[in-house]
Amino acid sequence: MQLQARDNVPLLTVVLSALALGAVFAAVGGVIPAQMIPRIEGLITWIPELNVVISLAAIGTIVSGWRAIRRNEVTTHRNYMIASTVLFAAFLVFYLYRITLAGTTDFGGPGVIEQFVYLPILAVHILLAIICVPLVIYTLLLAVSRPIEEIYTSRHRSVGQIAAVLWLISFSLGVVVYAMLYVVY
């Protein structure tokens, strides 16, 4: 019996989301043994800046992809969304690498700012990032498992709109978190 991706999009979404989020939680929780990963000091130092550039680029590609599909430019939309996904994957790989080897970064500002501004922004950013993973995977799986004509009759558009908005907010809040950690404080 052969599994067809197009007939198992929900199941594949659950499996791929669990793997992706499991990797994040394992890295943040210190479960991944740091000694198994080669340490590149210069890279570790530059990952926050690299990830903010990746985030800004992803914001641009998501907005451009959204604009393209509104103009019915399906190929352009697809290319921008693929670029957004590649940027997100690169962000995630760099983030996991840094977290595994260097841990999290402590907030250096005043405690009241940390408690009432930084932590709520960080919490919303993290929550949206977690929610986006299955939404983005589901939308992508629908797109790659069907001919273009069938995508219009799937949930690609409705789920994709929600995913894009949440993705944009999450990436934007990630830039704010970066600014608060590395620029302002």
Side-chain angles (χ1 to χ4, degrees):
M1 180 173 168
Q2 184 179 10
L3 280 176
Q4 297 291 327
R6 67 173 284 113
D7 299 327
N8 292 288
V9 168
L11 175 62
L12 287 170
T13 299
V14 169
V15 170
L16 294 173
S17 297
L19 291 172
L21 293 172
V24 172
F25 291 127
V28 172
V31 175
I32 299 172
Q35 60 273 21
M36 291 180 60
I37 300 172
R39 187 176 191 91
I40 305 168
E41 284 304 326
L43 179 60
I44 292 171
T45 304
W46 283 99
I47 285 176
E49 287 75 18
L50 180 60
N51 272 351
V52 81
V53 169
I54 290 171
S55 295
L56 291 169
I59 290 168
T61 58
I62 294 166
V63 169
S64 297
W66 201 341
R67 285 182 156 171
I69 202 61
R70 288 185 168 267
R71 292 189 304 264
N72 205 30
E73 298 170 358
V74 175
T75 301
T76 303
H77 167 74
R78 182 190 69 222
N79 292 340
Y80 276 123
M81 295 292 95
I82 289 170
S84 300
T85 304
V86 169
L87 288 166
F88 177 66
F91 175 95
L92 189 59
V93 167
F94 288 127
Y95 174 79
L96 293 175
Y97 180 79
R98 185 174 189 286
I99 289 296
T100 300
L101 295 177
T104 58
T105 303
D106 292 330
F107 181 74
V112 68
I113 299 294
E114 179 180 27
Q115 182 177 2
F116 295 108
V117 179
Y118 172 75
L119 289 176
I121 290 171
L122 179 63
V124 171
H125 165 66
I126 290 170
L127 178 64
L128 291 179
I130 291 169
I131 292 169
C132 281
V133 169
L135 294 176
V136 168
I137 290 172
Y138 181 78
T139 304
L140 286 169
L141 288 172
L142 286 175
V144 301
S145 67
R146 287 159 171 68
I148 290 175
E149 310 80 51
E150 287 185 31
I151 292 174
Y152 291 103
T153 61
S154 73
R155 297 196 58 195
H156 177 84
R157 179 180 180 184
S158 60
V159 175
Q161 287 176 336
I162 295 166
V165 169
L166 297 181
W167 219 7
L168 284 170
I169 296 168
S170 179
F171 271 123
S172 299
L173 290 177
V175 172
V176 172
V177 166
Y178 166 83
M180 292 185 78
L181 284 176
Y182 298 99
V183 179
V184 178
Y185 299 106

